[in-house]
Amino acid sequence: MKRKEKKPAPPAPEQITRAIARRVRQHVIGKPQTFFAVVQPGFEEVARDELSELGIENFGEPVEGGVEFTSKLEGCYRVNVAARTVTRVVMRLFDIRLTNLGDLSKKITALPWELYLPDGAAVAFKVSSERSPLYHEGLVEIEMHHAIAARLQRYEFNMSAADAEDGPDVQEIVVRLRGDRCQFSIDTSGGLLYKRGRKPFVTEASLRETLAAGILRAAGWKDANTLIDPMCGSGTFTLEALEMASGRLANAERVFPFKFWPAFRPAAFAHLLTKLTEAARAAKRPVRIIAFDNDAEAVAAARGNLARSGLDTENVEIRKSDFFDPESATIPPDSRPLLVLNPPYGKRLRKKDTGSLFRRIGETVRHHYRGGHAVIVPGLELEKALSLTYDRKILFRNGGLPVAVICKLP
Ligand SMILES: C[S@@+](CC[C@H](N)C(=O)[O-])C[C@H]1O[C@@H](n2cnc3c(N)ncnc32)[C@H](O)[C@@H]1O
């Protein structure tokens, strides 16, 4: 009689955990990964310089809207914590061929999701489809969720569906369907990095912190010692410039999703944070900031934001003044000043008024200010009206409008 073959016993849970930990060490911690730092289009070069300063060395080909780089996980942690010009960082996971919904489940369950997602992960998907036969993004999302959950179940990991807005412990997976390719990335930032969470008061047309930081870098703030911010609004330039000079890290307090990854090592991260904090403190330098606005509410908002910044504000002055009043232009002697201007434009002003506003801005800068300047200007016509010289010009979109910032280095 034929003997019944004995089925091998399933591996014990500790064995599974050990095996995953080994594969995580080998494939995720031990190897360089590819990351994409999303950046305001126009500021790719500025961001790349910042990433280089943070020790990133291997960059991909230039692309619009971001900077690709390869590094160990630590590099991605550095960028998230310290970069000021980056909107968010995603890590590339897999790039597979996917041409029909029938194949999706088999192909997705074959991928090693257990190396990236922790047990109990609340996952949100961001699916975008272009020229792909899988055009129904909602359906793809549902199928992906089931397939990844099925893969994780093999390791007795649970996974639930969530919304990216639900909070810091939600893990977002970005799925790009392009033609017959499907690219998966995992978000490492947990929400957009310009939401620093330190500016409670906003005014109309506030700049994003990442954009303000990009302009300050492009205009050479590090080489100036006095910032003049005459249309300060809620004080975004003022706060970013002060944070930079005070040696504060951009996002040290943030709860990043990578802190829940199987590859995360708390002790190594704490060490990195200490090193970054020390490096930022070493770059601390004395500066003076003079901010004003002709709107009392804007002045109150900027002052409120400054008061809550937790920074040394002794050399920062925020007052109600008119930029066109020659008395306002008090530039301390022996200073190396940088003037930053984000004037009102667009819907809020009539075309005729905008022309004369930019002409007057140009005249005021030429007659009453010296040193460097960075002025945001919407369109060539107004740039001509402004009639200021510059060393660098960056084209970008702000509030949906095509604009430029013209920068003269201090
Ligand atoms: C586009 S907003 C600046 C927003 C600011 N960058 C921020 O992030 O909050 C333009 C600001 O210029 C101010 N402003 C307009 N004309 C001004 C003038 N003649 N003198 C001073 N401030 C002026 C407005 O009150 C408004 O706060």
Side-chain angles (χ1 to χ4, degrees):
M1 204 172 72
K2 210 175 157 195
R3 266 180 58 199
K4 219 174 155 192
E5 221 161 82
K6 239 176 138 188
K7 257 193 175 172
E14 321 81 70
Q15 271 176 303
I16 299 179
T17 314
R18 271 202 303 275
I20 294 180
R22 195 173 51 244
R23 288 167 57 221
V24 166
R25 271 198 306 279
Q26 194 179 350
H27 299 286
V28 191
I29 300 175
K31 279 189 193 155
Q33 308 290 330
T34 302
F35 300 95
F36 188 71
V38 179
V39 167
Q40 161 102 26
F43 285 81
E44 296 86 352
E45 211 184 300
V46 177
R48 196 186 145 117
D49 283 350
E50 183 179 31
L51 267 47
S52 291
E53 280 174 26
L54 289 170
I56 302 300
E57 290 172 347
N58 298 313
F59 292 100
E61 293 295 312
V63 274
E64 199 194 329
V67 180
E68 193 175 82
F69 64 95
T70 308
S71 82
K72 293 277 198 76
L73 287 178
E74 203 232 46
C76 149
Y77 299 166
R78 265 174 193 278
V79 173
N80 270 298
V81 171
R84 293 192 164 271
T85 60
V86 169
T87 308
R88 77 153 153 173
V89 187
V90 297
M91 179 164 100
R92 302 280 189 231
L93 293 185
F94 318 111
D95 191 332
I96 59 169
R97 190 166 184 276
L98 195 58
T99 51
N100 69 72
L101 208 57
D103 274 356
L104 185 146
S105 180
K106 200 169 103 215
K107 290 199 165 182
I108 305 295
T109 39
L111 300 169
W113 294 98
E114 64 283 3
L115 303 187
Y116 304 96
L117 294 171
D119 184 16
V123 177
F125 289 90
K126 188 175 172 202
V127 182
S128 67
S129 173
E130 273 174 36
R131 305 178 317 279
S132 164
L134 287 85
Y135 54 85
H136 195 313
E137 293 163 357
L139 195 57
V140 168
E141 181 178 329
I142 294 168
E143 294 287 319
M144 294 226 168
H145 179 89
H146 287 313
I148 299 175
R151 169 78 190 199
L152 293 176
Q153 259 306 310
R154 291 185 196 167
Y155 302 91
E156 297 186 4
F157 279 15
N158 289 314
M159 165 184 153
S160 60
D163 199 285
E165 303 299 317
D166 283 351
D169 40 9
V170 171
Q171 176 62 70
E172 190 173 77
I173 305 278
V174 183
V175 184
R176 282 180 96 232
L177 293 148
R178 297 289 180 272
D180 64 354
R181 305 299 306 174
C182 179
Q183 186 187 57
F184 296 90
S185 305
I186 188 164
D187 173 53
T188 74
S189 305
L192 304 166
L193 294 171
Y194 57 76
K195 296 184 178 169
R196 310 244 199 267
R198 295 193 283 272
K199 215 182 69 175
F201 304 105
V202 284
T203 51
E204 209 188 333
S206 277
L207 279 181
R208 288 180 176 175
E209 281 68 1
T210 42
L211 182 55
I215 293 174
L216 286 163
R217 283 187 73 88
W221 168 231
K222 67 175 180 9
D223 299 318
N225 61 12
T226 303
L227 187 84
I228 322 270
D229 183 7
M231 295 189 177
C232 67
S234 58
T236 318
F237 277 129
T238 288
L239 285 159
E240 265 319 285
L242 184 64
E243 288 202 359
M244 285 175 181
S246 307
R248 167 179 274 177
L249 291 171
N251 300 303
E253 298 89 24
R254 186 176 267 253
V255 182
F256 293 104
F258 58 68
K259 289 188 173 174
F260 304 99
W261 290 1
F264 185 67
R265 299 289 177 266
F269 184 72
H271 180 64
L272 172 71
L273 215 50
T274 308
K275 278 198 304 185
L276 287 171
T277 308
E278 282 168 7
R281 290 213 179 116
K284 207 171 153 174
R285 64 199 179 94
V287 295
R288 179 151 184 209
I289 300 182
I290 302 166
F292 49 97
D293 200 291
N294 67 355
D295 179 84
E297 275 179 35
V299 172
R303 283 188 181 151
N305 288 329
L306 185 72
R308 279 160 187 74
S309 71
L311 297 170
D312 179 355
T313 59
E314 203 187 333
N315 292 322
V316 185
E317 179 191 330
I318 302 178
R319 57 179 146 87
K320 183 173 179 295
S321 290
D322 193 314
F323 174 60
F324 301 115
D325 177 355
E327 302 274 299
S328 304
T330 44
I331 305 172
D334 303 329
S335 64
R336 202 161 176 203
L338 172 68
L339 172 84
V340 282
L341 271 175
N342 174 22
Y345 53 80
K347 277 192 292 219
R348 281 162 296 138
L349 284 185
R350 284 181 309 174
K351 205 171 169 217
K352 186 166 99 310
D353 299 339
T354 318
S356 61
L357 174 73
F358 277 83
R359 206 164 300 113
R360 280 184 81 197
I361 290 175
E363 280 162 15
T364 308
V365 175
R366 282 194 302 280
H367 294 137
H368 299 290
Y369 289 88
R370 59 179 176 83
H373 58 240
V375 185
I376 300 179
V377 49
L380 264 184
E381 212 177 298
L382 294 172
E383 197 185 308
K384 278 191 198 134
L386 191 67
S387 189
L388 287 176
T389 56
Y390 57 85
D391 300 303
R392 186 174 195 178
K393 174 170 157 182
I394 297 175
L395 299 169
F396 63 103
R397 292 187 82 84
N398 193 29
L401 287 177
V403 298
V405 60
I406 56 158
C407 306
K408 179 169 163 279
L409 302 176

